[in-house]
Amino acid sequence: MLKQILSKLPRKLSKTADSREHGGNHATYFSVSGGSRSSDLGTGKSGNLSVSPFPAPNSMADVGWKGANLKPSGNHLFSSYEALPAFKDVPASEKQNLFIKKLNLCSVVFDFTDPTKNLKEKEIKRQTLLELVEYVTSANGKFLDAVLQEIVKMVSANLFRSLTPQPRENKVADGLDLEEEEPSMDPAWPHLQIVYEFLLRFVASPETDAKLAKRYVDQSFIINLLDLFDSEDPREREYLKTILHRIYGKFMVHRPFIRKALNNIFFRFIFETEKHNGIAELLEILGSIINGFALPLKEEHKVFLVRVLIPLHKPKCLAMYHQQLSYCITQFVEKDGKLADTVIRGLLKYWPITNSSKEVMFLNELEEVLEATQPPEFQRCMVPLFRRIAHCLNSLHFQVAERALFLWNNDHIENLIIQNRKVILPIIFPALEKNARNHWNQAVHSLTLNVRKIFYDLDPELYNECLLKFQEDESKEDEIEVRRETIWKRLEELAEKKASGSEAVLVSHKANANGSSG
């Protein structure tokens, strides 16, 4: 059946051969639909190919195909893509050579846009990839240079490609919850998953010597890996998260570079695009990295907190990664309590004004930070902090007001407030009193009465002072309102008198002064 299909295709074939910096055999790409799999690979230190539509292998023996008498037919580079012998069927001395041949065989990238094409070849590759995973898992000798080079070539050929994002109609920019949408799944996942599993087993293998492998798992390789975090397929991002974390742990020489590359991704996201699919996964990796920071914290890490993590509260799509971001922030405060003031002031800087759901997230994070805050740091920022909390208490959105009142349910935070009540109560008392009088939500009203009772039972004298001050301020506001109405009435009377004439209406300087004071 396959031969009949091949015979109908045109015989002309275009060939190109691209060289890798690391030398060796070429990965072979083909597409049964007439074009190569979408790829964007540049020649670099990692040995990535600059993909041409149909690169040909150096020799069939190197690639390891049985169809050595290759006869191109139409857009195909092969007349036979057949499985190689199993590892158990060859002597131990030949296993490494067979491993390299299988790697080259799996460097052929198929086009999955048409699921009906090349089913036999795709299944052969899938089975071969599974054999490679098993071989790497059970390896009992260090991987040599030649093998490391071929491993990186095969992984690069399969994984490093351009990502084609689906149109989203600016839903990210509007801050909607994209988790409710169906994620975009890569049709090539049946092969990609096994390649990712192979890479994960390879990096985690005790037979992978980091000192040798760093020549191939280099900065270019890591950059290409990081680019894949923007994939819309959550399964791919999950694998990438685990693999990058293992690379960070194993290749210590690459740690500063990985942190710098992550910084650049975050900077671009915060200040330019506000669109990236993998921010949550990258922050999850960072949470584990931050957890392992030695004390005292390096200045570099503190700068990262101020310039990257705190500004990450700015994008509208915060909900997509807030849980992971909050964990990273809390880790810093737990590591160094003196950073609490910096973090709280940073939250106040980016505090949302019109986005109520985002405001609730900020209050959730604020509670976690305050729980790790010690009294000296709390005292440095309590005045601007409770001015903001007072605004939240008076919010017409009941979830915001309710969440702010829940802060008093935390014993540690309540103790901090009680210790500094002489400063805090005068700031929030007007908000509590207004809620108690006329907030529309019954739950907020009840919680407000409970908080007010805490202060009254604790320090009735201070409570009465604040109440008296509030009543005096109310009286002053009433006087100002009456004065304002009087001024406007005078202006209306003057306007009526002059309405029939052409003269301009003059208002005395005294009236202006009174008006401005109102």
Side-chain angles (χ1 to χ4, degrees), residues 228-398:
L228 294 173
F229 273 89
D230 202 18
S231 168
E232 294 191 6
D233 193 328
R235 302 168 300 181
E236 183 167 17
R237 298 198 304 270
E238 193 65 25
Y239 261 111
L240 286 163
K241 177 186 72 177
T242 308
I243 290 167
L244 184 64
H245 193 203
R246 291 297 184 96
I247 290 175
Y248 187 89
K250 188 156 197 164
F251 296 86
M252 295 184 67
V253 67
H254 290 326
R255 289 184 180 183
F257 176 79
I258 292 173
R259 291 197 298 268
K260 185 177 179 180
L262 290 175
N263 279 3
N264 292 336
I265 291 173
F266 290 131
F267 285 144
R268 196 177 303 115
F269 170 72
I270 296 166
F271 301 109
E272 293 180 16
T273 65
E274 289 199 10
K275 291 181 182 179
H276 195 287
N277 294 305
I279 297 298
E281 286 80 8
L282 292 172
L283 285 171
E284 200 167 333
I285 297 169
L286 275 170
S288 181
I289 292 172
I290 294 166
N291 191 37
F293 282 166
L295 295 176
L297 290 174
K298 295 180 182 177
E299 191 62 28
E300 170 201 347
H301 303 326
K302 295 179 183 178
V303 169
F304 173 74
L305 169 67
V306 174
R307 294 186 180 176
V308 177
L309 292 183
I310 291 176
L312 272 170
H313 292 84
K314 174 178 171 283
K316 293 180 180 178
C317 56
L318 174 66
M320 296 175 65
Y321 57 85
H322 181 256
Q323 183 180 353
Q324 292 84 358
L325 175 60
S326 180
Y327 177 77
C328 291
I329 294 281
T330 309
Q331 285 288 305
F332 266 104
V333 177
E334 289 177 355
K335 288 271 181 186
D336 185 351
K338 293 180 180 178
L339 292 172
D341 176 49
T342 303
V343 167
I344 291 171
R345 289 181 184 274
L347 288 174
L348 295 176
K349 178 180 177 181
Y350 292 102
W351 199 277
I353 305 300
T354 60
N355 190 333
S356 298
S357 60
K358 196 173 175 183
E359 202 165 2
V360 171
M361 284 188 278
F362 271 59
L363 286 165
N364 289 334
E365 183 176 350
L366 179 64
E367 180 173 358
E368 292 182 16
V369 173
L370 286 174
E371 203 165 359
T373 303
Q374 298 306 311
E377 283 68 41
F378 178 78
Q379 289 169 1
R380 291 193 187 100
C381 61
M382 62 184 176
V383 173
L385 171 61
F386 278 87
R387 282 176 184 159
R388 174 50 58 191
I389 290 176
H391 283 291
C392 294
L393 293 174
N394 280 150
S395 175
L396 292 177
H397 195 293
F398 80 95

Side-chain angles (χ1 to χ4, degrees), residues 30-49:
F30 69 91
S31 169
V32 295
S33 60
S36 67
R37 179 192 172 96
S38 175
S39 302
D40 185 19
L41 308 177
T43 302
K45 290 184 181 179
S46 64
N48 300 333
L49 286 175

Side-chain angles (χ1 to χ4, degrees), residues 442-459:
Q442 187 59 44
V444 172
H445 185 266
S446 301
L447 287 168
T448 301
L449 294 178
N450 291 341
V451 171
R452 201 171 63 162
K453 187 174 185 301
I454 291 171
F455 284 110
Y456 181 79
D457 293 344
L458 187 70
D459 195 337

